[in-house]
Amino acid sequence: MASRGQFDEPLTADQLADAVPSPHDPRSARALEVAREGWTLRDVLAHGVIDYHPVVAGTAADVAGHMQQWFEAGACDGFSIAVDGHDGFDAFVDQVVPILQERGLFHDDYEGPTLRENLGAHEQYGLDPRLTKPARS
């Protein structure tokens, strides 16, 4: 077990030899893998190895920088955004997205103004007729 003062140091050879991934947590094997590469416990925690949803607290540039690091390192191919508060998505779109666009990480060449147009989905009003037709006997 790591000591309290060891948070910013790699695990010792003895600690690594005793460590085994938990069969109940799929994240533990990756955490052990990077610990064996010499990551500190702080790094394992801070870089989302154990927590699938790391929190980036800071400016819009800080958030964009964090996302850029993950993307360029091949650690992800996209993001799911969870924000605090009702206006968080607007702030993300108005402040972070333009930075990502300037850096070439978020395109702005959309086909149309709606998600439906950008996905190439056909317009449909009401229930799909295939769902409302009586079943054939």
Side-chain angles (χ1 to χ4, degrees):
M1 174 173 266
S3 68
R4 183 176 287 223
Q6 192 182 357
F7 199 60
D8 291 310
E9 299 172 16
L11 295 175
T12 67
D14 288 340
Q15 289 168 326
L16 290 169
D18 290 340
V20 293
S22 168
H24 306 291
D25 188 344
R27 301 168 295 185
S28 66
R30 179 67 178 138
L32 184 54
E33 180 183 329
V34 297
R36 287 188 172 130
E37 292 175 9
W39 287 36
T40 67
L41 294 177
R42 184 182 307 275
D43 287 339
V44 172
L45 295 170
H47 293 286
V49 176
I50 292 175
D51 181 0
Y52 287 145
H53 306 287
V55 174
V56 182
T59 66
D62 294 335
V63 173
H66 182 82
M67 295 174 76
Q68 182 174 1
Q69 281 183 310
W70 274 54
F71 183 76
E72 290 177 349
C76 68
D77 61 1
F79 293 92
S80 295
I81 306 300
V83 297
D84 286 337
H86 179 69
D87 62 345
F89 284 107
D90 289 339
F92 183 85
V93 169
D94 294 342
Q95 298 172 30
V96 177
V97 169
I99 295 170
L100 294 172
Q101 288 173 328
E102 288 170 12
R103 296 177 184 182
L105 298 169
F106 195 108
H107 70 90
D108 58 3
D109 56 343
Y110 296 103
E111 296 289 323
T114 66
L115 179 60
R116 179 185 307 279
E117 289 173 324
N118 291 309
L119 293 176
H122 296 289
E123 287 200 30
Q124 172 184 322
Y125 295 99
L127 290 176
D128 187 310
R130 294 172 292 185
L131 300 173
T132 58
K133 287 182 184 175
R136 294 183 183 162
S137 0

